[in-house]
Amino acid sequence: MEKKAGRKVEWDSRNGNIIRNLKYGKGSRNTYDLFLPANKECDALMLFVHGGSWMSGNKEDIEWAARRYAKEGYVSATINYSRAGKDTLNLDGENTVPSIESMVAEIDMAINSIVQDCSQHGITLTQMAIGGYSAGGHLAMLYANRYAEKSAIPIRFQISWVGPADLDLLFPMDTVLVDKILSGEQSEDIQKQRQELKHFLQSITGEIITDDALSVEAIKNIRQTGSPLHYVSKTTPPAILAYGGKDGLVLS
């Protein structure tokens, strides 16, 4: 059996047109690929976000999904975003460190650009689905749950392939260690742990965390900010969630 069975989708000019590396912002990673089906009468977008633990990966990693749905007649797209610990953020503001918050903002920027670029091809998008794999699934859910009412294109449903929905489950908090960190102890080991905790929290919000701002409540609130689960409501777009029962990292 082919290792990548289902993730290898052939494409030729009869299927439509692929426009690569369109820009949606000023950053070097602010690019996306647009897959226009041969039948341009479709008004629906399928947007896919790559995985890579928020620190690696590229839009080409999930191109198979965009090809598959473009061949079915849907406008499709894959996007790059500024990755944590690897790229420099180019958005308004003083902080240039990518975070989960900035990644979601970049998705929103990309969708606005897709609307404009499609209009130049005579396509008016009136509905969309957003999906992703692993970290991309997390970002897709976070966007769908938080931006459902203000997205440039109404979101009909969301898709997540093994995307973490709750950071508390993915990164369990050691309460004993947190108590030591918050106690003000100045041993070398605790200072290192304190700095790592602040970096982790900054990777969610993008905001620099000071020692004075650390508290159990603040840590809890920030972790919830980056968890799609905590934005679920009656207006949340329906979700298609795919998990493995033996996945030891992302618990289903």
Side-chain angles (χ1 to χ4, degrees):
M1 181 181 294
E2 185 181 357
K3 187 176 182 180
K4 293 187 177 181
R7 290 185 288 160
K8 184 177 180 181
V9 180
E10 301 296 335
W11 181 277
D12 61 41
S13 58
R14 292 172 297 178
N15 301 128
N17 185 27
I18 301 176
I19 307 173
R20 298 193 182 276
N21 296 317
L22 291 164
K23 293 288 292 183
Y24 68 82
K26 299 177 182 178
S28 61
R29 290 278 299 177
N30 294 159
T31 60
Y32 73 94
D33 294 341
L34 184 63
F35 298 75
L36 299 177
N39 176 11
K40 294 184 179 181
E41 295 181 1
C42 182
D43 67 347
L45 169 71
M46 299 288 287
L47 177 63
F48 297 100
V49 187
H50 71 78
S53 300
W54 304 277
M55 297 182 293
S56 63
N58 292 288
K59 53 184 168 55
E60 289 78 13
D61 298 341
I62 201 166
E63 179 171 319
W64 60 270
R67 288 188 178 195
R68 174 175 295 168
Y69 289 99
K71 289 178 73 170
E72 293 296 325
Y74 296 95
V75 176
S76 300
T78 60
I79 73 167
N80 276 337
Y81 52 86
S82 301
R83 302 160 297 187
K86 191 167 186 176
D87 303 309
T88 299
L89 188 64
N90 196 337
L91 291 175
D92 293 336
E94 298 179 358
N95 192 5
T96 60
V97 179
S99 63
I100 288 174
E101 191 70 25
S102 69
M103 295 170 196
V104 175
E106 287 179 318
I107 291 174
D108 192 52
M109 291 167 57
I111 292 172
N112 281 279
S113 291
I114 290 170
V115 170
Q116 296 175 14
D117 289 336
C118 281
S119 68
Q120 296 180 8
H121 292 276
I123 300 172
T124 300
L125 297 171
T126 63
Q127 54 185 332
M128 68 172 284
I130 182 170
Y133 176 81
S134 191
H138 163 266
L139 294 173
M141 288 190 291
L142 197 56
Y143 181 85
N145 293 356
R146 287 178 53 184
Y147 282 69
E149 296 183 3
K150 56 183 179 180
S151 174
I153 311 172
I155 303 171
R156 298 306 184 199
F157 65 95
Q158 53 184 307
I159 313 165
S160 174
W161 290 278
V162 297
D166 188 353
L167 296 187
D168 283 332
L169 281 178
L170 186 63
F171 304 111
M173 188 165 61
D174 185 332
T175 55
V176 174
L177 179 59
V178 168
D179 286 343
K180 287 185 177 180
I181 289 173
L182 298 180
S183 71
E185 182 182 327
Q186 295 301 314
S187 68
E188 183 177 342
D189 183 55
I190 291 300
Q191 287 190 59
K192 180 181 177 181
Q193 295 284 358
R194 185 179 297 122
Q195 195 62 31
E196 289 177 352
L197 176 59
K198 290 192 293 185
H199 283 163
F200 170 70
L201 298 176
Q202 184 179 353
S203 73
I204 298 174
T205 66
E207 299 177 1
I208 297 175
I209 308 297
T210 64
D211 289 352
D212 293 340
L214 281 178
S215 67
V216 172
E217 190 66 21
I219 295 170
K220 179 181 178 181
N221 290 339
I222 290 174
R223 289 161 70 95
Q224 289 184 355
T225 297
S227 299
L229 174 69
H230 291 279
Y231 295 93
V232 174
S233 69
K234 291 182 179 180
T235 61
T236 299
I240 300 174
L241 309 177
Y243 295 94
K246 295 184 179 181
D247 190 335
L249 180 62
V250 180
L251 305 178
S252 56

